[in-house]
């Protein structure tokens, strides 16, 4: 079938093109790019998240949720997948479930502001749904109509029903009428569009006609009205009328005339910028990622600490992003300098997670340029900060590799065994393979050939288990 045809192109090129099209708002074209990328690398979690974002922008929440969940299938701690699942659930009106996943992401990556913002907006939406401020007297019960998640989901998934009367004329199943004033407040500028579409319904000749593509005009009009009604129901839950009225009164009472940027605006800018920087890097565009990070850094440095409470933490994070992009571009000296700035800021502001991140990255740069002892010293400083068995597995393995490069077989074997122990704790077959190979190579250095052969055989079994053909050939 044509759908199964392997497209001409590379995975990074499709990812980069899709990311660029997304930024331009050409979501249909971007979706096609991500579909092609997934044909080349099925199940890639970064690509699944990117496609999920596309689906969400196109209003296809069902497929957006499927992709977000698929990105978490093999790695429940993948923070981008957690954030995308939370965002999709929030858009669907499942605020309680969204809150759960924003919290999970925040526990894993407390330094990322987007999870904090997600928690805040979900909590606000839940409060808006379940109760009103006691200071507001509510008279119109229809204004407080709350649709349960199950009912909302069912309504969203139902296909539009067009019934034919005896005279072969169509009618629309009417929902309970909402107060026009309430609907106007909910829909804002879109209220005029809904009124226009409802006016078109009365033109029977137009409704019975079809477009050049054979689509009934009635179908298009009903679809538009149905979408606007679904949006008004979502906005009713997210920010009910009484909550808006109360907020407006409070603003009037305070007479806020401060021209500073709103925290929500700053938060949205930061979250969007960090997502773009990360997507460009993972999508194979390190140069664009670096330029974007440098622009954002310059912007944030010009803002006050009142506008950006976690300014120093954010600046450190941006230096880290710049360093990662510079390393991908082969600018090792510049990358080292960027990561050292990140480390200095992290220590000055007592940010242990950022210190751990910076040490990790500095070690990578040293290893890349062949300064293995400096890489070892840096990574050994990070060991007490490692939080999971998987992180320790990687760390011990890299330190062992460096010792192997320095012809220190005993130290390499020691760290290889530590890496294998952590991989066993995690139950990760791929890392068990890498660690076992490291131990075997160290034993060759120590001329313990019998043990080396035994471990190479174990590694071969692991390679066959995880279907790693390249590793099988190398081991043989």
């Amino acid at each position: 079938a044509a759908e199964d045809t392997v497209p001409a192109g590379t995975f990074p090129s499709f990812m980069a093109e899709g990311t660029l099209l997304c930024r331009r708002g050409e979501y249909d074209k971007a979706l096609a790019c991500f579909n092609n990328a997934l044909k080349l690398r099925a199940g890639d979690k970064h690509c699944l998240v990117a496609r999920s974002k596309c689906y969400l922008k196109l209003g296809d929440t069902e497929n957006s949720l499927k992709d977000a969940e698929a990105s978490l299938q093999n790695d429940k701690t993948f923070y981008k997948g957690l954030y995308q699942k939370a965002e999709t659930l929030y858009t669907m009106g499942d605020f309680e479930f969204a809150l759960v996943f924003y919290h999970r992401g925040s526990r894993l990556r407390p330094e990322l502001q987007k999870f904090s913002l997600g928690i805040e907006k979900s909590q606000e939406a839940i409060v808006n749904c379940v109760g009103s401020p006691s200071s507001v007297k509510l008279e119109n019960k229809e204004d407080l109509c709350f649709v349960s998640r199950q009912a909302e989901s069912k309504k969203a998934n139902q296909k539009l029903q067009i019934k034919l009367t005896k005279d072969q004329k169509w009618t629309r199943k009417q929902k309970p009428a909402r107060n026009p004033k309430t609907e106007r407040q909910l829909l804002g500028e879109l209220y005029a569009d809904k009124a226009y579409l409802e006016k078109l319904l009365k033109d029977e000749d137009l409704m019975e006609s079809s477009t050049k593509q054979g689509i009934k005009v009635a179908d298009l009009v009903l679809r538009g009205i149905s979408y606007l009604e679904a949006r008004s129901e979502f906005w009713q839950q997210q920010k009910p009328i009484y909550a808006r009225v109360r907020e407006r009164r409070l603003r009037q009472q305070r007479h806020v005339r401060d021209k500073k940027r709103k925290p929500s605006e700053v938060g949205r800018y930061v979250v969007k910028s960090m997502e773009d920087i990360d997507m460009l890097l993972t999508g194979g565009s390190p140069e664009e990622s670096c330029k974007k990070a440098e622009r954002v850094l310059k912007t944030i440095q010009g803002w006050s600490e009142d506008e950006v409470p976690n300014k120093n933490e954010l600046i450190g994070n941006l230096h880290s992003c710049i360093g990662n992009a510079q390393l991908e571009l082969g600018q090792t000296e510049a990358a080292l300098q960027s990561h050292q700035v990140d480390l200095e800021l992290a220590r000055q502001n007592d940010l242990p997670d950022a210190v751990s991140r910076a040490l990790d990255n500095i070690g990578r740069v040293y290893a890349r340029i062949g300064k293995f002892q400096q890489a070892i010293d840096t990574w050994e400083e990070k060991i007490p900060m490692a939080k999971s068995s998987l992180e320790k597995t990687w760390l011990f393995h890299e330190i062992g590799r460096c010792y192997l490069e320095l012809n220190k077989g005993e130290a390499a074997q020691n760290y290889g065994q530590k890496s294998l122990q952590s991989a066993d704790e995690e139950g990760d077959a791929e890392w068990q393979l890498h660690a076992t190979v490291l131990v075997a190579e160290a034993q060759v250095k120590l001329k313990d050939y019998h043990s080396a052969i035994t471990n190479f055989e174990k590694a071969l079994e692991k390679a066959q288990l995880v279907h790693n053909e390249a590793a099988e050939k190398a081991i043989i």
Side-chain angles (χ1 to χ4, degrees):
E3 290 180 2
D4 299 324
T5 306
V6 177
T10 64
F11 178 81
S13 67
F14 282 126
M15 281 294 289
E17 188 182 355
T19 303
L20 191 62
L21 288 166
C22 256
R23 290 172 67 196
R24 290 178 184 166
E26 297 179 50
Y27 302 115
D28 284 315
K29 291 180 182 177
L31 191 62
C33 287
F34 294 134
N35 286 338
N36 284 334
L38 284 166
K39 285 177 187 175
L40 293 171
R41 198 178 293 177
D44 182 87
K45 59 186 181 182
H46 294 284
C47 191
L48 284 166
V49 165
R51 191 170 72 172
S52 175
K53 288 179 185 176
C54 257
Y55 277 131
L56 196 58
K57 291 286 186 183
L58 291 165
D60 187 349
T61 52
E62 187 179 347
N63 277 319
S64 177
L65 188 60
K66 278 181 184 175
D67 274 357
E69 287 176 338
S71 76
L72 293 164
Q73 191 171 355
N74 297 321
D75 182 6
K76 303 295 181 189
T77 62
F78 180 45
Y79 77 92
K80 291 178 186 176
L82 287 170
Y83 181 73
Q84 187 55 28
K85 184 172 181 178
E87 285 284 281
T88 306
L89 288 166
Y90 181 86
T91 306
M92 293 169 80
D94 283 349
F95 305 122
E96 295 93 337
F97 282 117
L99 182 59
V100 168
F101 288 97
Y102 283 129
H103 269 299
R104 282 188 194 173
S106 184
R107 282 197 297 272
L108 286 166
R109 296 295 298 269
E111 78 278 7
L112 296 180
Q113 194 180 12
K114 61 184 180 182
F115 286 115
S116 304
L117 291 170
I119 290 167
E120 194 177 308
K121 70 181 182 183
S122 296
Q123 287 173 336
E124 184 182 353
I126 291 165
V127 169
N128 289 339
C129 287
V130 300
S132 63
S134 57
S135 58
V136 180
K137 185 179 179 183
L138 302 171
E139 294 175 358
N140 188 347
K141 290 181 181 178
E142 288 175 3
D143 286 353
L144 293 177
C145 173
F146 175 72
V147 183
S148 70
R149 281 200 312 277
Q150 292 81 359
E152 177 72 14
S153 178
K154 188 177 178 183
K155 284 183 182 181
N157 291 328
Q158 279 177 340
K159 291 185 178 178
L160 294 170
Q161 297 294 321
I162 299 175
K163 296 185 176 181
L164 296 176
T165 62
K166 290 179 182 178
D167 297 327
Q168 294 299 302
K169 292 178 183 177
W170 54 269
T171 58
R172 185 167 67 98
K173 189 178 179 181
Q174 296 287 337
K175 291 186 179 184
R178 183 182 266 127
N179 184 315
K181 184 181 176 183
T182 301
E183 194 157 54
R184 189 179 284 107
Q185 285 177 290
L186 285 167
L187 288 172
E189 293 177 3
L190 295 173
Y191 181 76
D193 296 325
K194 186 168 183 284
Y196 174 72
L197 290 172
E198 286 177 335
K199 188 178 176 182
L200 288 180
L201 288 177
K202 296 173 184 176
D203 187 338
E204 294 182 6
D205 291 336
L206 178 64
M207 290 304 99
E208 287 170 358
S209 65
S210 299
T211 65
K212 289 179 181 179
Q213 290 77 26
I215 303 168
K216 282 192 175 181
V217 173
D219 287 355
L220 293 171
V221 173
L222 287 169
R223 207 174 295 158
I225 293 170
S226 178
Y227 172 77
L228 292 172
E229 284 176 344
R231 284 293 84 194
S232 68
E233 284 171 2
F234 170 69
W235 290 324
Q236 170 77 354
Q237 295 175 56
Q238 185 193 26
K239 184 78 76 175
I241 298 302
Y242 65 79
R244 298 175 192 209
V245 171
R246 182 170 177 270
E247 279 183 2
R248 190 159 56 247
R249 283 178 186 166
L250 289 171
R251 282 199 299 271
Q252 289 168 352
Q253 287 166 6
R254 287 194 299 265
H255 294 288
V256 178
R257 291 179 182 176
D258 188 358
K259 291 185 180 179
K260 288 182 182 178
R261 295 167 192 81
K262 295 176 184 177
S264 59
E265 290 173 358
V266 172
R268 278 194 293 272
Y269 169 77
V270 169
V271 169
K272 178 71 170 62
S273 299
M274 296 307 288
E275 281 181 349
D276 288 346
I277 291 164
D278 194 49
M279 277 296 292
L280 285 166
L281 186 60
T282 55
S285 304
E287 192 173 355
E288 289 299 315
S289 177
C290 191
K291 286 177 183 176
K292 174 81 175 178
E294 285 170 346
R295 287 197 298 271
V296 175
L297 178 62
K298 191 175 179 181
T299 302
I300 286 169
Q301 283 173 332
W303 291 349
S304 70
E305 289 190 8
D306 291 336
E307 291 172 292
V308 193
N310 59 338
K311 183 178 175 180
N312 289 326
E313 183 181 349
L314 192 54
I315 288 172
N317 202 340
L318 284 164
H319 277 292
S320 177
C321 293
I322 291 167
N324 288 333
Q326 288 167 333
L327 186 62
E328 287 297 309
L329 292 165
Q331 301 167 5
T332 51
E333 290 300 322
L336 189 59
Q337 193 175 347
S338 294
H339 290 309
Q340 282 169 340
V341 171
D342 180 28
L343 180 61
E344 192 178 333
L345 284 167
R347 283 176 172 158
Q348 284 173 1
N349 294 282
D350 191 26
L351 301 166
D353 286 339
V355 170
S356 179
R357 174 189 67 210
L359 289 171
D360 188 346
N361 288 323
I362 290 168
R364 287 174 195 266
V365 179
Y366 277 135
R368 178 76 69 90
I369 60 179
K371 293 186 177 180
F372 299 114
Q373 191 56 55
Q374 287 96 321
I376 289 166
D377 295 340
T378 305
W379 278 329
E380 284 184 339
E381 188 182 343
K382 175 185 160 68
I383 291 171
M385 303 174 194
K387 290 183 176 179
S388 66
S389 296
L390 195 59
E391 190 177 4
K392 287 177 184 175
T393 300
W394 178 87
L395 195 53
F396 292 147
H397 179 272
E398 295 305 294
I399 294 170
R401 278 264 155 230
C402 287
Y403 274 122
L404 200 63
E405 293 289 341
L406 294 170
N407 290 315
K408 295 183 179 179
E410 197 170 334
Q413 181 180 232
N414 182 29
Y415 272 105
Q417 286 166 342
K418 284 183 178 180
S419 178
L420 182 57
Q421 186 182 344
S422 296
D424 288 340
E425 287 173 15
E426 187 68 27
D428 191 307
E430 193 76 45
W431 274 109
Q432 286 169 349
L433 163 63
H434 297 318
T436 307
V437 169
L438 174 58
V439 171
E441 287 178 328
Q443 286 165 342
V444 172
K445 290 277 184 191
L446 295 168
K447 298 184 179 179
D448 183 0
Y449 301 122
H450 181 74
S451 299
I453 288 169
T454 303
N455 278 308
F456 275 130
E457 285 172 348
K458 287 179 183 176
L460 186 58
E461 288 175 14
K462 293 287 182 188
Q464 289 165 347
L465 183 68
V466 296
H467 307 293
N468 189 332
E469 291 179 12
E472 283 182 52
K473 289 177 183 177
I475 292 163
I476 290 166

